[in-house]
Each structure stands twice: as structure tokens, then as C-alpha cells.
Amino acid sequence: MPDAANPAPMNARRKFRREGEERRRQDLIDATLDSVAEHGLEGATLRTIALRAGVTAGLIRHYFPGKADLLQEAYAALMDRMTEQAKAALLMEDASPRQRLAAFVTANLNAPIIDQRVFSLWATFIGRAGADPTLARAHREGYLGFRNEVEAVVAEVLAAERRKPDAGELRHHAIAINAIIDGLWIEGCLAGEMFSPGELAAIGIKAIEAELGLAPEKQFQEK
Amino acid sequence: MPDAANPAPMNARRKFRREGEERRRQDLIDATLDSVAEHGLEGATLRTIALRAGVTAGLIRHYFPGKADLLQEAYAALMDRMTEQAKAALLMEDASPRQRLAAFVTANLNAPIIDQRVFSLWATFIGRAGADPTLARAHREGYLGFRNEVEAVVAEVLAAERRKPDAGELRHHAIAINAIIDGLWIEGCLAGEMFSPGELAAIGIKAIEAELGLAPEKQFQEK
DNA sequence: GGCGTTGTTGTGCAAGTGTATAAATAGCCT
DNA sequence: AGGCTATTTATACACTTGCACAACAACGCC
């Protein structure tokens, strides 16, 4: 797109500004994620990414040794942002374990984590985990971290109910709850408009409480 | 890799056989799925696919107008194979609803549906659903069909327990159960070796029974 | 058995890819 | 103000990609 409206010094070199290194890296990573979400992994070319970031392609090599490194850092950034928001919900100090678990589920099943673009990115990257050991390990670690968080909260919730599950039970609960959250997350991302706001979170909380054998929240209930 | 050991008619053209049209198309689609699973969507080049199918690249254009058409047909074939296997488990005539539900879950959480390659393919294709409306609609239809199957069995299971849920309850149960299956499917595909055989199915069945408020099956129910 | 049909091969090409590197300039330091 | 240096642009290059097309040969048909 030649900018013909300029006072046109015919061989003018493009104007540019020097940004801080951190800023530039972040911009490039953001542009990478946008491009991948739109065009897929190999469809996101260095030139497309550079255009989106408002720089020229050559600059990318100044900050990243190669395209593979850029993609890897972009994937790491994506995972960070996703888990960061979710984990924040677990940090509420003055709440019961059960409230914190509910908040965790709610955070995971609403915007911005329920988001089609985020899901596209996740699927695109994870689709290559089978062939790319680096991606596979990154995912494995993220997954286990997530599941351990779940397991810890579950342990607290059950402890508050004066129940003492063994390690196997705890692990099974964590696996099931993780699956519930993941599955609902996918449904929400791919068909968000089929659910009313908060509906997915409500379904998730109810399913998890059933899995843990907790009585419904609002009132005491005889069984 | 020149095959120097041959009796070397120096400009020998490659020998070939004429296959039936259906057979060739299937071979090409299979080779496409293999290549996509290994190298990603754009990483699966026509030459790679042709090599895998044992033909040369030019032949592909004889059967498919372009690469996009080949990919679309490959995706359709993948979806067909996945849902076909899962739905078969629901067809057992002489089984209680609850047994059929359990069989459905078990079928979905074991090989060949739990498979890293199948998952890679699913993720790779679905990752572009956000940008490709054709893919998005294909998925939507497959998802709703799957969920309706689940909803139908759930209705039968609850009816057998003499419970009469309203439509909203039924829908919520189906959404939750669908999520449980999907989530466990993902966990199994991505980290299959972390689970013992049958463990995921057992976790899934227990979680679903909890969701539906069913008593455990025969754990303590010795005859 | 020759012959035509058409499935199949091989080659060519323009466009686009990631990477390498030289040239230019923005902004800090003194 | 005026250089210095690192950031940024611009260009070049070898390679791959999807697609087009002409030559070839396998197989059915007379």
C-alpha cells in the first residue's frame, strides 16, 4: 500500500522510532499471536507479522534468532496470560475454599478466557504438540501445573468438609474437574452464543459439586 | 536419493499402476491426514502428500481442483471416522440405558478415539474454525449431533430411574456430560501414558453418574 | 494385437518463504 | 552540537510452494 499522499521524496526511507527492547518484543509477540490466530502457524509469515507490528520483516531477526523462537515465545506468552487470569481467582484470601473453587471455575468459564481467538491459538499450537516435543513439554508442564492447583483447592474444600480422601481419590477428582473445566471451556469458545451469560459457570460449578459429593450451596439440604 | 544400483536406463520414467478412482482418492486423503498430523496444515505440502501416497505431486490436481479442496475433504473424512466409532457404542439393543451410556463413555475414552494423531488433526483443523466459516459450521453440526445423542441417552437413563427432568435440566446435563467426555478425551490424547488402561473411562463414568445423581453401580453391590 | 483413452509422470514457473547482510538513521552521551 | 552505536530499513538470495502443462505409458476395447 504505497502512501501516495505524502510530499514524496521519491526514494525516501521509511521513518521509524526506536522503541524499548521489551516493548518491541511484546509488540512482535502480540502481532505474532494475531497473525497465527488469523492465518495459522505457517500462514503467519514474518512479513505479515512485521506488517501488523508496524515494522519491517528484517527487524524480527534482530530480536529473535528465527521464526521458531518467535513462535515458541508467543506460545509461552499465551499460556502465561491464560493461566495468570485463572490463578488470580484462587488468591482471594478471605474466602472459604469452596468459594475460591467456585471463583476459579467462574473465572475460567467467562471472558476473557472464554474467547474464540484464544481458543484458535490454543488449538493451533497444541495441534503440533504431537510432532514438536518442545511444544509437548510446554503443554505438559502447563497442564500439570493447572491440575495441581485444582488438586490443592479440592483438598482444601474436602478438608473443610472434614473428609479425608486418599491420594488416589484426590487425583481422580482433580482429573475429572480439570476435564469439566476444559470441556466447558471448549464449548463456550466454539459456540459461545448458545449459552446465556454465566450459564457455563453455573453448569460447571454444579457438575463439580456433584463430583465432589457436596450438598448444593445455597441452603442446608437433607439427603 | 538416486537409485544408482539399477540397470540404469538413464532417463527411465517411473513405473506406475492405474488404481481405481475411489481407491486413489482415499489414498490421497489418508496421506493428507498423515501429513497434516505430522507437519501441520500448511506444512503438509502437495509434494509431501504425494510422496506419502506413492505418487507424484501432479496427480493430486487430477483428483482435486486445489489444495484447499483436498484439505476440506480430508477434514470431512476425519470427522466421519471419529463420530462413526463413537455412535456405534450407542446401538447395543439389549442393554439398559445406563449400560449403553457407560459403553458410550468407554468407547470415547479408549483407543482408537483416544489417539494423539487424531487429536492433533482435530486441533489443527478446529484451530482454523475461527477464520474459516465452513469449518466452523461443520464443527457446530457435529457438536450438536453429538450432544443430542448424549441428551437422548440421558433422558432414557433418568426415565429408567423414574425421574422426570424438564428440558432445561436435560440440556444442562447433556452439556456437562459432553464437557466431561471432551475434557477427558483431551487429557487422554495429550498425556495418555499418565493414565492406566481404563482409568479415564472409569473416571468419566463416575463423574457422569455423580452429575446425574445416580448411585454407584456395583462397587459395593455384591450379589 | 494394435490403438485410443486417460491416469500418471516430469518439468517449468511465478510468487512467496525464511534467512543473511549491508546501508541508513534515531536518539543518547559527552 | 556532533559523533557513536544500536535499532531499523532495505535488498539480496537460495529455496520451497501451489499450480500449469506437455509428454508418456498402462489398461480396456475393438
Side-chain angles (χ1 to χ4, degrees):
Chain A
M1 216 187 306
D3 194 345
N6 266 351
M10 296 204 30
N11 276 348
R13 198 168 241 253
R14 177 178 177 162
K15 302 287 195 210
F16 61 91
R17 277 183 40 209
R18 302 183 139 179
E19 298 283 354
E21 162 161 357
E22 261 333 292
R23 169 67 184 273
R24 264 281 133 82
R25 292 179 74 90
Q26 269 311 313
D27 283 352
L28 285 174
I29 285 178
D30 287 341
T32 302
L33 290 178
D34 283 341
S35 295
V36 170
E38 193 166 341
H39 304 108
L41 263 186
E42 0 266 336
T45 70
L46 293 181
R47 287 165 178 84
T48 301
I49 294 169
L51 183 66
R52 203 163 211 128
V55 297
T56 54
L59 184 59
I60 294 181
R61 240 183 85 71
H62 189 76
Y63 288 102
F64 302 92
K67 189 187 179 184
D69 306 82
L70 173 58
L71 285 176
Q72 185 156 333
E73 291 208 30
Y75 180 60
L78 172 73
M79 298 283 278
D80 276 357
R81 290 177 205 173
M82 283 180 66
T83 60
E84 167 196 17
Q85 309 235 20
K87 285 184 182 174
L90 285 174
L91 294 182
M92 313 184 309
E93 284 294 338
D94 52 348
S96 72
R98 188 162 168 175
Q99 285 174 318
R100 285 169 43 217
L101 176 57
F104 180 70
V105 175
T106 302
N108 274 290
L109 295 180
N110 280 288
I113 299 188
I114 291 253
D115 178 76
Q116 200 185 62
R117 176 182 167 275
V118 171
F119 173 80
S120 284
L121 287 168
W122 174 83
T124 302
F125 279 110
I126 209 70
R128 291 197 53 170
D132 186 337
T134 302
L135 279 181
R137 184 152 29 83
H139 164 79
R140 181 74 50 92
E141 287 164 9
Y143 164 69
L144 280 181
F146 195 88
R147 207 179 82 186
N148 284 339
E149 302 267 1
V150 171
E151 198 168 313
V153 199
V154 167
E156 291 181 45
V157 170
L158 293 183
E161 302 267 326
R162 297 194 185 80
R163 287 163 55 186
K164 179 55 192 149
D166 62 45
E169 275 179 77
L170 215 51
R171 174 167 168 272
H172 278 203
H173 283 318
I175 292 171
I177 291 172
N178 191 63
I180 291 169
I181 295 175
D182 283 355
L184 291 175
W185 176 70
I186 291 177
E187 296 189 62
C189 290
L190 280 174
E193 73 289 351
M194 295 179 65
F195 308 99
S196 56
E199 187 178 19
L200 282 175
I203 294 174
I205 291 174
K206 265 184 58 182
I208 289 171
E209 288 175 345
E211 161 73 20
L212 294 179
L214 302 177
E217 184 154 6
K218 298 191 177 174
Q219 66 217 18
F220 273 74
Q221 175 143 356
E222 82 284 30
K223 178 78 189 289
Chain B
M1 214 188 302
D3 193 346
N6 268 352
M10 296 203 31
N11 276 349
R13 198 168 243 253
R14 176 178 176 166
K15 302 288 192 210
F16 62 90
R17 276 184 40 209
R18 296 184 150 186
E19 297 284 354
E21 163 160 356
E22 261 332 292
R23 170 66 184 274
R24 267 283 189 259
R25 292 179 73 90
Q26 268 312 313
D27 283 352
L28 286 173
I29 285 178
D30 287 341
T32 302
L33 290 177
D34 283 342
S35 296
V36 170
E38 193 166 342
H39 304 107
L41 263 187
E42 0 267 334
T45 70
L46 293 181
R47 286 166 178 84
T48 302
I49 294 169
L51 182 66
R52 202 162 211 129
V55 298
T56 54
L59 184 59
I60 294 182
R61 237 183 83 72
H62 190 76
Y63 288 101
F64 302 92
K67 190 187 179 185
D69 306 81
L70 174 59
L71 286 176
Q72 185 156 334
E73 291 207 31
Y75 180 60
L78 172 73
M79 297 283 277
D80 276 356
R81 291 177 204 173
M82 281 180 69
T83 59
E84 168 194 16
Q85 310 236 20
K87 285 183 181 175
L90 285 175
L91 293 181
M92 314 184 308
E93 282 295 337
D94 53 346
S96 70
R98 187 161 169 177
Q99 284 173 320
R100 284 170 45 220
L101 176 58
F104 180 71
V105 175
T106 302
N108 275 290
L109 296 180
N110 280 288
I113 299 188
I114 290 253
D115 178 76
Q116 199 184 62
R117 175 180 166 278
V118 171
F119 174 79
S120 285
L121 286 168
W122 173 84
T124 302
F125 280 110
I126 209 71
R128 291 197 53 173
D132 185 337
T134 301
L135 280 182
R137 184 152 29 84
H139 164 78
R140 179 74 50 92
E141 287 164 9
Y143 163 69
L144 280 182
F146 195 87
R147 206 180 82 186
N148 284 338
E149 302 266 2
V150 170
E151 198 167 312
V153 199
V154 167
E156 293 181 43
V157 170
L158 293 183
E161 302 266 326
R162 297 193 187 80
R163 287 164 54 185
K164 180 56 191 150
D166 62 45
E169 276 178 73
L170 215 50
R171 174 168 169 272
H172 278 203
H173 282 318
I175 293 171
I177 290 172
N178 191 64
I180 291 169
I181 295 175
D182 283 356
L184 290 176
W185 176 70
I186 292 176
E187 296 189 61
C189 290
L190 279 174
E193 74 289 352
M194 295 178 67
F195 308 100
S196 57
E199 186 178 20
L200 282 176
I203 294 175
I205 291 174
K206 267 184 58 183
I208 288 171
E209 288 174 345
E211 161 73 20
L212 294 179
L214 303 176
E217 185 148 0
K218 38 179 170 179
Q219 192 80 350
F220 263 99
Q221 237 170 337
E222 199 67 23
K223 51 170 28 179

